[in-house]
Amino acid sequence: MRKNGQIKLYGPEAFEGMRAAGRLVAECLDMLVGEVDVGVPTDRIDRLVFEFAMDHGAYPATLMYRGYERSTCTSINHVVCHGIPNDKPLRDGDIVNVDVTFVLDGWHGDSSRMYAVGEIPRRAERLIEVTYESLMLGIAAVKPGNTVGDIGHAIQSFVEPQHMSVVRDFCGHGLGRMFHDEPNIVHLGRPGEGSMLKPGMFFTIEPMINLGRPHVKVLSDGWTAVTRDRSLSAQFEHTVAVTETGVEIFTLSPKGLDKPPYKRAG
């Protein structure tokens, strides 16, 4: 399947498929609450995500996507996104984003959360708080008749007064049967600009927020994006739908573990 430049509008059957895929991703991220800890290498997290997908009849969408060889992305500290899991243990004070996308019965669920490793600095806590709040403000701007610019404006106008910056180089995206589809959801913008939101649209909102400047660079592995000034970066992501009356979030945690600090999963 390829992009054709058109924004797809989906019906009730698609909503059911996306609810199932989104819930499974959320359950996987819930499972990781008890696993992300000091001394744990990110390739163990990756293996747990793969096994969870296999156990639930799903497939990790990133695995062999454009040659990517892992089931998840794990982005630590100044890594903005697309960090590749490896055998290096997590350290006390690290913050890590885990980004999971599953394909379940042909539908894509895509979400990411931040995890604190041990005791983290207050500035890292504040970055995580602002990033999560910016995601939820972006989601609150989703309703028929609004535009993608309204989403970006809601995020940017909240983040920048906190003396933090919104990453420009990456954006949210449409999804459904395809992993990446129209529309692009840029996390900054002007009210009323861009594509109009209509019932039946599916997309991700996934702001990446830096403590320093917004500039990023991609390392020689072709995937790992880092802050140019090596400042901390954080990200949260939900998959959402535009409904007749507003928005539905497909990837909410069944256990209420959407925002850290998380209580240990029992």
Side-chain angles (χ1 to χ4, degrees), residues 16-89:
E16 288 301 316
M18 292 294 284
R19 287 179 187 125
R23 181 181 175 90
L24 190 64
V25 166
E27 289 173 347
C28 180
L29 292 171
D30 285 354
M31 176 271 295
L32 293 177
V33 169
E35 301 292 342
V36 178
D37 207 350
V38 176
V40 175
T42 50
D43 59 6
R44 171 173 166 75
I45 296 168
D46 186 72
R47 187 166 62 252
L48 289 169
V49 170
F50 175 79
E51 292 170 353
F52 187 94
M54 295 297 102
D55 289 345
H56 292 83
Y59 186 81
T62 59
L63 187 58
M64 302 316 297
Y65 178 79
R66 295 182 178 175
Y68 189 79
E69 298 180 351
R70 299 290 183 158
S71 299
T72 187
C73 296
T74 51
S75 301
I76 303 168
N77 295 336
H78 71 289
V79 178
V80 175
C81 61
H82 304 155
I84 302 172
N86 58 34
D87 60 1
K88 185 177 179 181

Side-chain angles (χ1 to χ4, degrees), residues 192-250:
E193 291 193 347
S195 301
M196 182 174 289
L197 305 180
K198 299 178 182 179
M201 291 171 62
F202 299 159
F203 49 82
T204 69
I205 304 176
E206 47 184 296
M208 287 147 267
I209 309 301
N210 296 346
L211 266 184
R213 298 177 66 81
H215 310 107
V216 307
K217 63 179 179 181
V218 177
L219 301 185
S220 59
D221 59 31
W223 289 102
T224 307
V226 300
T227 55
R228 284 189 174 272
D229 60 8
R230 294 189 65 86
S231 63
L232 290 177
S233 186
Q235 179 189 19
F236 283 91
E237 175 183 14
H238 274 313
T239 298
V240 304
V242 185
T243 68
E244 295 290 343
T245 57
V247 64
E248 178 176 346
I249 304 174
F250 291 132

Side-chain angles (χ1 to χ4, degrees), residues 122-234:
R122 175 56 192 154
R123 61 194 174 92
E125 286 183 347
R126 181 64 184 148
L127 172 63
I128 289 172
E129 291 166 0
V130 168
T131 304
Y132 179 79
E133 184 65 23
S134 77
L135 168 65
M136 300 313 292
L137 288 168
I139 291 173
V142 177
K143 62 181 180 180
N146 274 5
T147 67
V148 295
D150 292 313
I151 299 171
H153 177 73
I155 293 168
Q156 182 182 12
S157 62
F158 172 71
V159 169
E160 291 181 348
Q162 316 289 329
H163 306 292
M164 301 179 192
S165 61
V166 181
V167 171
R168 272 78 167 154
D169 298 64
F170 300 97
C171 60
H173 53 89
L175 79 171
R177 292 286 188 184
M178 288 179 61
F179 189 178
H180 294 101
D181 204 349
E182 303 294 346
N184 287 336
I185 305 295
V186 180
H187 302 113
L188 65 165
R190 296 178 181 176
E193 291 193 347
S195 301
M196 182 174 289
L197 305 180
K198 299 178 182 179
M201 291 171 62
F202 299 159
F203 49 82
T204 69
I205 304 176
E206 47 184 296
M208 287 147 267
I209 309 301
N210 296 346
L211 266 184
R213 298 177 66 81
H215 310 107
V216 307
K217 63 179 179 181
V218 177
L219 301 185
S220 59
D221 59 31
W223 289 102
T224 307
V226 300
T227 55
R228 284 189 174 272
D229 60 8
R230 294 189 65 86
S231 63
L232 290 177
S233 186

